[in-house]
Amino acid sequence: MPVRLHEFAHCRAGDKGNVATLTVIPYSDADYPLLVRELTAERVRAQLARHVGGSVLRYELPLLPALQFVCTGVLDGGVTTSLALDTHGKSLSSRLLALELPSES
Amino acid sequence: MGPDRVQVAGARGGPRPDRLKVSVGYRAGHKVEAEISYSGPRADRRAALAADVLAARLAGLPVRPRIGVLGVAPPGADEHAECRVRVAALAADPDVLDTVGHEVEALYTNGPAGGGGVRVFTGEVIGVVSTLVARSTVTPSVTILEAGDARPAA
């Protein structure tokens, strides 16, 4: 049965220029391998396809543990010149958490 | 190491960078954001119609507006349905942007039924880009500017 990412992880968005970073942090360290296996850059790119104009690059941070996704071409050029309502892309974090993943069992 | 004790080892440094990052602010023109709300049955369809009207009315202006509908109207949740049409645009000429605000305000009486809550925001935009400069060209100093009309906090 699929589960939604928000049920076992949280996410924080950052911005720099036209780049958004989305860091996904599991509530339990034990769920990190599941995230590494299932939460690929391609899957994140597909989930946010309407919002990410460029590439998605994934960094693994096993000691935290967390995954960080660096998404380019997101912020309509940058925070101050963006025509979006959420100029920082902060709400992208919750959009990502709506992603459905196959459950462990 | 023990309770409240950690060991740190292997710390080392390298040469400081020869170049410094600079965030450059530039005058990027003016921005307008204008919104209007629709609620109740078929709020989403009335909002979509209003967005289409705006797109057509603004087509002749020298701007590329971003027009969207915020919110959804789930079936069976009519009394809670609420959708907000939002248009945003950048332009060098603020007068052009006034027209965008006027078009949204005009929807009160010349658009889908029940439009309300128009808000129009305009302001100058300072864009930010980054670059690098040689450290040798930089002399640090501090300049304090005080606003002439600043008042002390109450």
Side-chain angles (χ1 to χ4, degrees), chain A residues 16 76 80-85 87, chain B residues 31 66 70 86 88 90 125-127:
Chain A
K16 189 64 72 184
D76 205 9
T80 62
T81 52
S82 167
L83 293 179
L85 181 59
T87 54
Chain B
K31 179 157 84 172
R66 176 170 174 153
L70 311 176
R86 177 176 180 276
L90 282 170
V125 176
I126 304 297

Side-chain angles (χ1 to χ4, degrees), chain B residues 119-145:
Chain B
R119 295 288 187 279
V120 179
F121 309 93
T122 54
E124 191 184 2
V125 176
I126 304 297
V128 181
V129 291
S130 2
T131 187
L132 297 167
V133 297
R135 180 186 291 275
S136 58
T137 63
V138 175
T139 307
S141 67
V142 176
T143 304
I144 297 176
L145 302 175

Side-chain angles (χ1 to χ4, degrees), chain A residues 63-77:
Chain A
L63 298 182
L64 288 178
L67 293 175
Q68 185 171 68
F69 298 89
V70 176
C71 311
T72 61
V74 176
L75 297 177
D76 205 9

Side-chain angles (χ1 to χ4, degrees), chain B residues 58-153:
Chain B
L58 299 175
L61 285 181
V63 291
R64 278 192 302 173
R66 176 170 174 153
I67 302 173
V69 174
L70 311 176
V72 293
D78 283 348
E79 69 184 74
H80 302 295
E82 183 154 357
C83 295
R84 194 154 172 84
V85 179
R86 177 176 180 276
V87 52
L90 282 170
D93 177 6
D95 290 344
V96 171
L97 300 182
D98 283 344
T99 305
V100 175
H102 293 155
E103 287 294 345
V104 174
E105 203 152 279
L107 291 170
Y108 269 140
T109 47
N110 302 276
V118 170
R119 295 288 187 279
V120 179
F121 309 93
T122 54
E124 191 184 2
V125 176
I126 304 297
V128 181
V129 291
S130 2
T131 187
L132 297 167
V133 297
R135 180 186 291 275
S136 58
T137 63
V138 175
T139 307
S141 67
V142 176
T143 304
I144 297 176
L145 302 175
E146 296 189 33
D149 59 352
R151 289 179 299 178

